[in-house]
Amino acid sequence: MSLPPATIAPFDGRSVCLFCGSSDGADPQYVQAATAFGKAAAEAGWRLVYGGGGVGLMGASARAAHEAGGRVVGIMPAFLRSRERLFDDVETVVVTSMHERKQLMYDQSDVFVVAPGGIGTLEEAIELLSWKRLDLHAKPVIFLNLNGFWENYFALIRHSVQEGMTPASFLDAYISVDTVEEAVAAMKKADATPHLKHDHR
């Protein structure tokens, strides 16, 4: 498959990448939180970068951000278009692969928020933290640990540290918050740090 190079409209402000599920999940609070996050990010002046889908938590967050007047850019691999359905009301870029999707999401973002999601969200979070472990980036990673959703994942990381497979300093590679309000506050705090240059391509 061959697609033209991905191009995204220039943006000089702050951008947050949201990794989250393409499903609604069993608990209605997940969709409610995704909706609240999209709205809050837009009201705070942040552009939302997300996976491009119009369904599940992804779609709920993107719709809320758009309806609140925020900038939204979705990045979707071509083969997923029929599964996750594009949200056509916002700027959307179709790329050739999952790898290109993640790289573009990374390049376009200053801060990452990881909300509840499935195996795809878990994979994205692991790769993001792996890159940080290898000093490939220093961007903040914020887990929205709604109702303890990510506790088992954190336990696995602590177990890896205890077994000598991961240095204890890695526990500082991310932060965990319990509410959308805390996630937005953490974004704003991160925005005051020197590494946020807003040089999106």
Side-chain angles (χ1 to χ4, degrees), residues 21-67:
S22 58
S23 300
D24 289 345
D27 190 336
Q29 290 187 56
Y30 297 150
V31 172
Q32 293 168 7
T35 300
F37 180 80
K39 182 175 184 291
E43 291 176 345
W46 289 67
R47 180 182 66 167
L48 179 69
V49 178
Y50 83 114
V55 295
L57 274 62
M58 283 199 299
S61 186
R63 282 188 177 83
H66 178 64
E67 290 171 1

Short mmCIF file of all heavy atoms in Angstrom, two decimals, residues 21-67:
data_model
loop_
_atom_site.label_atom_id
_atom_site.label_comp_id
_atom_site.label_asym_id
_atom_site.label_seq_id
_atom_site.Cartn_x
_atom_site.Cartn_y
_atom_site.Cartn_z
N GLY A 21 -8.96 3.53 24.73
CA GLY A 21 -9.64 2.45 24.05
C GLY A 21 -10.52 2.90 22.89
O GLY A 21 -11.08 3.99 22.89
N SER A 22 -10.65 2.01 21.90
CA SER A 22 -11.60 2.22 20.81
C SER A 22 -12.94 1.58 21.13
O SER A 22 -13.82 1.53 20.27
CB SER A 22 -11.03 1.67 19.50
OG SER A 22 -10.75 0.29 19.61
N SER A 23 -13.07 1.07 22.34
CA SER A 23 -14.33 0.53 22.84
C SER A 23 -14.80 1.40 24.00
O SER A 23 -14.02 2.13 24.60
CB SER A 23 -14.15 -0.91 23.33
OG SER A 23 -13.71 -1.75 22.28
N ASP A 24 -16.09 1.27 24.33
CA ASP A 24 -16.65 2.06 25.43
C ASP A 24 -16.24 1.51 26.80
O ASP A 24 -16.17 2.26 27.76
CB ASP A 24 -18.18 2.08 25.36
CG ASP A 24 -18.70 2.92 24.20
OD1 ASP A 24 -17.89 3.71 23.63
OD2 ASP A 24 -19.87 2.79 23.85
N GLY A 25 -16.00 0.20 26.87
CA GLY A 25 -15.68 -0.42 28.15
C GLY A 25 -16.93 -0.76 28.93
O GLY A 25 -18.04 -0.35 28.59
N ALA A 26 -16.74 -1.52 29.99
CA ALA A 26 -17.87 -2.02 30.78
C ALA A 26 -18.45 -0.97 31.72
O ALA A 26 -19.62 -1.03 32.09
CB ALA A 26 -17.43 -3.24 31.58
N ASP A 27 -17.62 0.00 32.11
CA ASP A 27 -18.04 1.01 33.08
C ASP A 27 -18.34 2.32 32.37
O ASP A 27 -17.47 2.88 31.69
CB ASP A 27 -16.93 1.21 34.11
CG ASP A 27 -17.35 2.06 35.30
OD1 ASP A 27 -18.30 2.85 35.15
OD2 ASP A 27 -16.73 1.93 36.36
N PRO A 28 -19.56 2.84 32.48
CA PRO A 28 -19.90 4.12 31.83
C PRO A 28 -18.97 5.26 32.23
O PRO A 28 -18.86 6.26 31.50
CB PRO A 28 -21.33 4.38 32.30
CG PRO A 28 -21.88 3.04 32.68
CD PRO A 28 -20.70 2.26 33.20
N GLN A 29 -18.31 5.14 33.36
CA GLN A 29 -17.40 6.20 33.80
C GLN A 29 -16.24 6.40 32.84
O GLN A 29 -15.65 7.48 32.77
CB GLN A 29 -16.87 5.91 35.20
CG GLN A 29 -17.91 6.04 36.29
CD GLN A 29 -17.29 5.91 37.66
OE1 GLN A 29 -16.37 6.65 38.02
NE2 GLN A 29 -17.78 4.98 38.45
N TYR A 30 -15.88 5.35 32.09
CA TYR A 30 -14.77 5.47 31.15
C TYR A 30 -15.10 6.46 30.05
O TYR A 30 -14.30 7.34 29.72
CB TYR A 30 -14.41 4.11 30.55
CG TYR A 30 -13.93 3.08 31.54
CD1 TYR A 30 -14.15 1.72 31.33
CD2 TYR A 30 -13.26 3.45 32.70
CE1 TYR A 30 -13.71 0.76 32.23
CE2 TYR A 30 -12.81 2.51 33.61
CZ TYR A 30 -13.04 1.16 33.37
OH TYR A 30 -12.61 0.22 34.27
N VAL A 31 -16.27 6.31 29.46
CA VAL A 31 -16.69 7.24 28.40
C VAL A 31 -16.89 8.64 28.98
O VAL A 31 -16.53 9.64 28.35
CB VAL A 31 -17.97 6.75 27.71
CG1 VAL A 31 -18.51 7.81 26.75
CG2 VAL A 31 -17.71 5.45 26.96
N GLN A 32 -17.46 8.72 30.16
CA GLN A 32 -17.67 10.02 30.80
C GLN A 32 -16.34 10.73 31.02
O GLN A 32 -16.21 11.94 30.79
CB GLN A 32 -18.41 9.83 32.13
CG GLN A 32 -19.83 9.33 31.97
CD GLN A 32 -20.44 8.86 33.28
OE1 GLN A 32 -19.84 9.02 34.36
NE2 GLN A 32 -21.63 8.27 33.21
N ALA A 33 -15.34 9.98 31.46
CA ALA A 33 -14.02 10.56 31.71
C ALA A 33 -13.37 11.00 30.39
O ALA A 33 -12.75 12.07 30.32
CB ALA A 33 -13.12 9.58 32.44
N ALA A 34 -13.49 10.18 29.35
CA ALA A 34 -12.92 10.54 28.05
C ALA A 34 -13.56 11.81 27.51
O ALA A 34 -12.88 12.70 26.98
CB ALA A 34 -13.11 9.39 27.06
N THR A 35 -14.87 11.91 27.67
CA THR A 35 -15.58 13.11 27.24
C THR A 35 -15.12 14.33 28.03
O THR A 35 -14.84 15.39 27.46
CB THR A 35 -17.10 12.91 27.42
OG1 THR A 35 -17.52 11.80 26.62
CG2 THR A 35 -17.87 14.14 27.01
N ALA A 36 -15.02 14.16 29.34
CA ALA A 36 -14.59 15.27 30.20
C ALA A 36 -13.16 15.68 29.87
O ALA A 36 -12.83 16.88 29.89
CB ALA A 36 -14.70 14.86 31.66
N PHE A 37 -12.32 14.72 29.55
CA PHE A 37 -10.93 15.05 29.24
C PHE A 37 -10.84 15.85 27.94
O PHE A 37 -10.12 16.85 27.87
CB PHE A 37 -10.07 13.79 29.12
CG PHE A 37 -8.64 14.10 28.79
CD1 PHE A 37 -7.76 14.51 29.77
CD2 PHE A 37 -8.18 14.02 27.47
CE1 PHE A 37 -6.45 14.84 29.47
CE2 PHE A 37 -6.87 14.35 27.16
CZ PHE A 37 -6.01 14.76 28.16
N GLY A 38 -11.55 15.41 26.90
CA GLY A 38 -11.52 16.14 25.64
C GLY A 38 -11.98 17.57 25.82
O GLY A 38 -11.36 18.51 25.29
N LYS A 39 -13.05 17.75 26.55
CA LYS A 39 -13.59 19.10 26.79
C LYS A 39 -12.60 19.95 27.58
O LYS A 39 -12.34 21.10 27.24
CB LYS A 39 -14.92 18.98 27.54
CG LYS A 39 -15.62 20.31 27.83
CD LYS A 39 -16.99 20.05 28.46
CE LYS A 39 -17.78 21.34 28.68
NZ LYS A 39 -17.17 22.19 29.72
N ALA A 40 -12.04 19.37 28.64
CA ALA A 40 -11.12 20.11 29.49
C ALA A 40 -9.84 20.49 28.75
O ALA A 40 -9.31 21.60 28.92
CB ALA A 40 -10.78 19.30 30.74
N ALA A 41 -9.33 19.57 27.93
CA ALA A 41 -8.12 19.86 27.16
C ALA A 41 -8.36 21.02 26.21
O ALA A 41 -7.53 21.93 26.09
CB ALA A 41 -7.67 18.62 26.40
N ALA A 42 -9.51 21.01 25.53
CA ALA A 42 -9.84 22.09 24.60
C ALA A 42 -9.98 23.42 25.33
O ALA A 42 -9.47 24.45 24.88
CB ALA A 42 -11.12 21.76 23.85
N GLU A 43 -10.67 23.40 26.46
CA GLU A 43 -10.89 24.63 27.21
C GLU A 43 -9.58 25.19 27.77
O GLU A 43 -9.46 26.39 28.00
CB GLU A 43 -11.89 24.38 28.33
CG GLU A 43 -13.31 24.14 27.81
CD GLU A 43 -14.30 23.79 28.90
OE1 GLU A 43 -13.84 23.46 30.03
OE2 GLU A 43 -15.52 23.86 28.65
N ALA A 44 -8.60 24.30 27.98
CA ALA A 44 -7.29 24.75 28.47
C ALA A 44 -6.39 25.21 27.33
O ALA A 44 -5.26 25.65 27.57
CB ALA A 44 -6.62 23.63 29.25
N GLY A 45 -6.88 25.10 26.08
CA GLY A 45 -6.11 25.57 24.93
C GLY A 45 -5.17 24.56 24.32
O GLY A 45 -4.32 24.91 23.49
N TRP A 46 -5.31 23.29 24.69
CA TRP A 46 -4.45 22.25 24.17
C TRP A 46 -5.06 21.60 22.93
O TRP A 46 -6.26 21.35 22.88
CB TRP A 46 -4.22 21.16 25.21
CG TRP A 46 -3.35 21.58 26.35
CD1 TRP A 46 -3.63 22.52 27.30
CD2 TRP A 46 -2.05 21.08 26.66
NE1 TRP A 46 -2.59 22.63 28.19
CE2 TRP A 46 -1.61 21.75 27.82
CE3 TRP A 46 -1.23 20.11 26.09
CZ2 TRP A 46 -0.38 21.50 28.40
CZ3 TRP A 46 0.00 19.85 26.67
CH2 TRP A 46 0.42 20.54 27.81
N ARG A 47 -4.24 21.30 21.95
CA ARG A 47 -4.68 20.50 20.81
C ARG A 47 -4.67 19.03 21.21
O ARG A 47 -3.73 18.56 21.87
CB ARG A 47 -3.75 20.71 19.61
CG ARG A 47 -4.16 19.89 18.38
CD ARG A 47 -3.21 20.08 17.21
NE ARG A 47 -1.89 19.55 17.49
CZ ARG A 47 -0.95 19.36 16.55
NH1 ARG A 47 -1.18 19.70 15.30
NH2 ARG A 47 0.23 18.87 16.89
N LEU A 48 -5.70 18.31 20.82
CA LEU A 48 -5.79 16.88 21.12
C LEU A 48 -5.30 16.08 19.93
O LEU A 48 -5.82 16.21 18.81
CB LEU A 48 -7.24 16.51 21.44
CG LEU A 48 -7.49 15.02 21.75
CD1 LEU A 48 -6.84 14.63 23.08
CD2 LEU A 48 -8.99 14.72 21.77
N VAL A 49 -4.30 15.25 20.16
CA VAL A 49 -3.80 14.31 19.16
C VAL A 49 -4.26 12.92 19.60
O VAL A 49 -4.05 12.53 20.75
CB VAL A 49 -2.26 14.36 19.07
CG1 VAL A 49 -1.74 13.33 18.08
CG2 VAL A 49 -1.79 15.76 18.70
N TYR A 50 -4.90 12.20 18.68
CA TYR A 50 -5.43 10.89 19.09
C TYR A 50 -5.45 9.95 17.90
O TYR A 50 -5.04 10.31 16.79
CB TYR A 50 -6.83 11.05 19.69
CG TYR A 50 -7.96 11.11 18.69
CD1 TYR A 50 -8.92 10.11 18.63
CD2 TYR A 50 -8.06 12.16 17.78
CE1 TYR A 50 -9.95 10.16 17.70
CE2 TYR A 50 -9.08 12.22 16.87
CZ TYR A 50 -10.02 11.21 16.82
OH TYR A 50 -11.03 11.25 15.90
N GLY A 51 -5.93 8.73 18.11
CA GLY A 51 -5.82 7.68 17.10
C GLY A 51 -6.75 7.76 15.92
O GLY A 51 -6.69 6.90 15.04
N GLY A 52 -7.60 8.77 15.84
CA GLY A 52 -8.39 9.00 14.65
C GLY A 52 -9.75 8.34 14.59
O GLY A 52 -10.54 8.63 13.71
N GLY A 53 -10.03 7.42 15.51
CA GLY A 53 -11.30 6.71 15.47
C GLY A 53 -12.46 7.53 15.97
O GLY A 53 -12.30 8.40 16.83
N GLY A 54 -13.65 7.22 15.46
CA GLY A 54 -14.84 7.90 15.91
C GLY A 54 -15.67 7.10 16.88
O GLY A 54 -16.81 7.46 17.16
N VAL A 55 -15.11 6.01 17.39
CA VAL A 55 -15.84 5.13 18.29
C VAL A 55 -15.11 5.01 19.63
O VAL A 55 -13.95 5.37 19.75
CB VAL A 55 -16.03 3.72 17.67
CG1 VAL A 55 -16.90 3.82 16.42
CG2 VAL A 55 -14.68 3.10 17.33
N GLY A 56 -15.80 4.47 20.62
CA GLY A 56 -15.20 4.21 21.92
C GLY A 56 -14.75 5.46 22.63
O GLY A 56 -15.26 6.56 22.40
N LEU A 57 -13.78 5.28 23.53
CA LEU A 57 -13.26 6.41 24.28
C LEU A 57 -12.58 7.43 23.37
O LEU A 57 -12.66 8.63 23.59
CB LEU A 57 -12.28 5.93 25.36
CG LEU A 57 -12.87 5.51 26.70
CD1 LEU A 57 -13.81 4.31 26.56
CD2 LEU A 57 -11.76 5.16 27.69
N MET A 58 -11.92 6.92 22.32
CA MET A 58 -11.27 7.83 21.37
C MET A 58 -12.27 8.80 20.76
O MET A 58 -12.06 10.02 20.74
CB MET A 58 -10.60 7.03 20.24
CG MET A 58 -9.30 6.37 20.60
SD MET A 58 -8.33 5.93 19.12
CE MET A 58 -9.43 4.82 18.29
N GLY A 59 -13.36 8.24 20.25
CA GLY A 59 -14.36 9.08 19.61
C GLY A 59 -15.02 10.04 20.58
O GLY A 59 -15.27 11.21 20.24
N ALA A 60 -15.28 9.57 21.79
CA ALA A 60 -15.93 10.43 22.80
C ALA A 60 -15.05 11.63 23.13
O ALA A 60 -15.53 12.76 23.24
CB ALA A 60 -16.23 9.62 24.05
N SER A 61 -13.76 11.40 23.29
CA SER A 61 -12.85 12.48 23.65
C SER A 61 -12.70 13.47 22.50
O SER A 61 -12.72 14.69 22.71
CB SER A 61 -11.49 11.91 24.03
OG SER A 61 -10.63 12.92 24.50
N ALA A 62 -12.55 12.95 21.29
CA ALA A 62 -12.37 13.82 20.13
C ALA A 62 -13.62 14.68 19.89
O ALA A 62 -13.51 15.87 19.60
CB ALA A 62 -12.06 12.99 18.89
N ARG A 63 -14.78 14.09 20.00
CA ARG A 63 -16.02 14.84 19.81
C ARG A 63 -16.14 15.96 20.85
O ARG A 63 -16.52 17.08 20.52
CB ARG A 63 -17.23 13.91 19.88
CG ARG A 63 -17.46 13.09 18.64
CD ARG A 63 -18.78 12.33 18.69
NE ARG A 63 -18.98 11.61 17.44
CZ ARG A 63 -18.47 10.43 17.15
NH1 ARG A 63 -17.71 9.81 18.05
NH2 ARG A 63 -18.70 9.86 15.98
N ALA A 64 -15.84 15.62 22.09
CA ALA A 64 -15.96 16.62 23.16
C ALA A 64 -14.99 17.77 22.95
O ALA A 64 -15.34 18.94 23.14
CB ALA A 64 -15.71 15.96 24.52
N ALA A 65 -13.75 17.45 22.54
CA ALA A 65 -12.76 18.50 22.30
C ALA A 65 -13.21 19.38 21.13
O ALA A 65 -13.11 20.62 21.19
CB ALA A 65 -11.40 17.89 22.01
N HIS A 66 -13.70 18.76 20.08
CA HIS A 66 -14.15 19.51 18.90
C HIS A 66 -15.34 20.40 19.24
O HIS A 66 -15.38 21.57 18.85
CB HIS A 66 -14.51 18.52 17.80
CG HIS A 66 -15.03 19.16 16.55
ND1 HIS A 66 -14.27 19.99 15.77
CD2 HIS A 66 -16.26 19.09 15.96
CE1 HIS A 66 -14.99 20.41 14.74
NE2 HIS A 66 -16.20 19.88 14.83
N GLU A 67 -16.30 19.85 19.97
CA GLU A 67 -17.49 20.61 20.33
C GLU A 67 -17.17 21.78 21.27
O GLU A 67 -17.89 22.77 21.31
CB GLU A 67 -18.52 19.68 20.96
CG GLU A 67 -19.14 18.71 19.96
CD GLU A 67 -20.00 17.64 20.61
OE1 GLU A 67 -20.14 17.67 21.86
OE2 GLU A 67 -20.52 16.77 19.89
#
